[in-house]
């Protein structure tokens, strides 16, 4: 699978997620081994610096293989040239990461960059979708994961009016840093947004996603579920819920429950008007299950599913 969006939750820089899904994606490029980290969802300059520091030490380990990791901070007095440089990096960087903090604050700032400097509040979002169309990877960590979905779960839980995200992960909502006892949030979102798939992402886990349009005009989406248990520092064990046995939780709009494990996948086909939603679960052993009735599917492969829609 070659995802164009990766959304995840983690406590620290767990090895499988950060090396094999993020760093190695940048290093595979022969001439563009770049990562851009945007901590703009953090409020103050100090908190943005802190957020970058939690990633910088990890990226520094890969400098000897050519990784070029850079960051860009929000401030209220950026020059036109500063923002033009940022948008050029946003377009060209092999892997862009939207960092953690406040989902709503970060989303508003990303919109403000386009509106203040180019008169276009949707410019940042369009560049992200252009990256997806060109096969580049955009990553969302914590609040950034929220922002890459169609709707931001943090804004839904806070009962805010503006809940739209950038939609690189179409018709998906997810709780971040998920843990036992938060099932009601998943159930509420699933019932409120029946056209969406709602997931609970514990530390350390993620969704690797690619999507696009079929010739029919339908939207296709393939999700691979990543459950990372590689981080094993004893004094941080409490925070790593995947090492405690929690995988990726999912609720249907009708209240049914499903747990996704490492290596499972999900294929979705959706009409643009949301009247049709086909979905299939592919277990890590290759078994294909119809999502809606939870019985074995007659489709032999992902390719066959997409070809028939």
């Amino acid at each position: 699978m070659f995802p164009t969006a990766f959304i995840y939750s983690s406590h620290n820089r767990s090895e499988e997620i950060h090396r094999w899904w993020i760093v190695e994606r940048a290093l595979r490029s022969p001439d563009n081994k770049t990562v851009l980290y945007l901590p703009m969802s953090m409020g103050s300059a100090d908190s943005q610096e802190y957020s970058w520091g939690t990633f910088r030490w990890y990226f520094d380990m890969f400098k000897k293989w050519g990784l070029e990791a850079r960051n860009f901070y929000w401030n209220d007095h950026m020059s036109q040239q500063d923002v033009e440089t940022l948008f050029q990096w946003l377009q060209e960087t092999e892997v862009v990461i939207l960092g953690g903090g406040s989902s709503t604050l970060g989303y508003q700032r990303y919109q403000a960059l386009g509106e203040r400097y180019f008169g276009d509040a949707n410019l940042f979002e369009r560049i992200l979708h252009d990256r997806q169309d060109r096969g580049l990877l955009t990553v969302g960590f914590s609040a950034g994961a929220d922002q890459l979905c169609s709707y931001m779960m943090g804004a839904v839980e806070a009962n805010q009016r503006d809940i739209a995200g950038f939609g690189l992960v179409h018709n998906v909502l997810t709780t971040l840093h998920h843990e036992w006892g938060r099932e009601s949030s998943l159930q509420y979102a699933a019932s409120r947004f029946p056209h969406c798939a709602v997931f609970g992402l514990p530390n350390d886990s993620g969704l690797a996603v690619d999507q696009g349009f079929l010739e029919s005009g339908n939207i296709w989406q393939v999700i691979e579920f990543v459950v990372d248990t590689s981080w094993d520092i004893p004094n941080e064990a409490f925070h790593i819920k995947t090492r405690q046995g929690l995988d990726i939780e999912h609720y249907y709009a009708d209240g049914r429950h499903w747990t996704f494990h490492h290596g499972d996948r999900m294929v979705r086909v959706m009409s643009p008007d949301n009247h049709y939603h086909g979905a299939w679960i592919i277990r890590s052993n290759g078994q294909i299950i119809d999502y809606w009735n939870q019985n074995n599917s007659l489709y032999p492969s992902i390719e066959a599913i997409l070809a028939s829609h």
Side-chain angles (χ1 to χ4, degrees):
M1 183 182 177
F2 200 72
T4 53
F6 186 80
I7 60 175
Y8 77 102
S9 177
S10 75
H11 172 68
N12 210 320
R13 305 287 75 82
S14 52
E15 183 72 1
E16 177 156 352
I17 286 175
H18 293 88
R19 177 164 186 178
W20 299 110
W21 287 95
I22 298 176
V23 169
E24 291 296 335
R25 179 62 174 270
L27 292 179
R28 68 180 297 278
S29 173
D31 55 6
N32 188 21
K33 304 179 190 299
T34 51
V35 174
L36 171 63
Y37 183 74
L38 300 179
M40 295 185 180
S41 295
M42 303 295 285
S44 66
D46 288 345
S47 62
Q48 290 183 75
E49 174 68 28
Y50 171 80
S51 180
W52 166 233
T54 65
F55 280 80
R56 179 176 51 204
W57 70 268
Y58 187 82
F59 293 147
D60 282 349
M61 295 192 297
F62 299 92
K63 281 184 177 180
K64 58 185 176 182
W65 286 289
L67 184 70
E68 181 185 349
R70 51 200 181 191
N71 67 289
F72 204 104
Y73 297 156
W74 166 273
N75 71 70
D76 291 319
H77 307 289
M78 285 183 281
S79 68
Q80 184 74 27
Q81 184 175 356
D82 288 339
V83 181
E84 288 177 0
T85 297
L86 169 61
F87 277 24
Q88 182 177 352
W89 285 0
L90 191 66
Q91 291 173 316
E92 299 175 353
T93 300
E94 193 72 16
V95 178
V96 170
I97 305 172
L98 308 188
S102 165
S103 304
T104 302
L105 174 64
Y107 185 82
Q108 291 171 344
R109 285 176 169 177
Y110 295 135
Q111 284 189 306
L113 289 170
E115 186 170 25
R116 291 184 188 180
Y117 295 90
F118 300 95
D120 183 355
N122 296 316
L123 181 57
F124 188 93
E125 179 175 349
R126 285 209 309 278
I127 292 175
L128 294 188
H129 281 273
D130 177 68
R131 289 178 52 81
Q132 186 166 62
D133 293 342
R134 291 184 289 125
L136 297 175
L137 177 63
T138 304
V139 177
F141 162 65
S142 192
D146 224 6
Q147 292 154 358
L148 292 186
C149 293
S150 284
Y151 304 104
M152 298 186 293
M153 179 71 92
V156 171
E157 291 179 316
N159 200 31
Q160 295 175 353
R161 291 182 58 188
D162 297 327
I163 61 174
F166 293 126
L168 267 71
V169 185
H170 183 67
N171 280 356
V172 166
L173 296 93
T174 180
T175 58
L176 287 308
H177 313 289
H178 186 73
E179 56 187 331
W180 292 281
R182 293 189 66 193
E183 295 81 5
S184 60
S185 289
L186 298 178
Q187 293 170 329
Y188 169 74
S191 63
R192 179 175 170 184
F193 302 96
H195 59 291
C196 292
V198 181
F199 304 101
L201 292 182
N203 296 339
D204 297 328
S205 68
L207 309 179
V209 182
D210 198 9
Q211 66 185 36
F213 287 91
L214 299 169
E215 290 185 5
S216 63
N218 287 328
I219 299 165
W220 66 269
Q221 183 181 77
V222 179
I223 302 172
E224 181 168 343
F225 298 88
V226 179
V227 178
D228 184 353
T229 59
S230 62
W231 194 256
D232 60 357
I233 294 179
N235 64 2
E236 297 187 9
F238 170 79
H239 301 282
I240 315 302
K241 303 304 180 183
T242 55
R243 290 184 65 88
Q244 300 174 33
L246 184 60
D247 284 354
I248 296 173
E249 300 298 324
H250 169 70
Y251 279 89
Y252 290 68
D254 62 11
R256 286 180 294 164
H257 170 261
W258 190 277
T259 299
F260 288 95
H261 307 289
H262 182 71
D264 290 347
R265 287 174 291 172
M266 187 176 189
V267 179
R268 304 170 74 202
V269 177
M270 298 158 277
S271 62
D273 61 8
N274 285 323
H275 284 158
Y276 174 75
H277 290 87
W280 296 263
I281 297 166
I282 297 92
R283 285 180 162 158
S284 57
N285 63 5
Q287 179 187 16
I288 299 179
I289 299 169
D290 185 282
Y291 169 82
W292 295 108
N293 61 34
Q294 299 185 355
N295 294 325
N296 287 333
S297 172
L298 296 178
Y299 286 111
S301 65
I302 293 176
E303 291 77 11
I305 293 171
L306 298 182
S308 68
H309 291 82

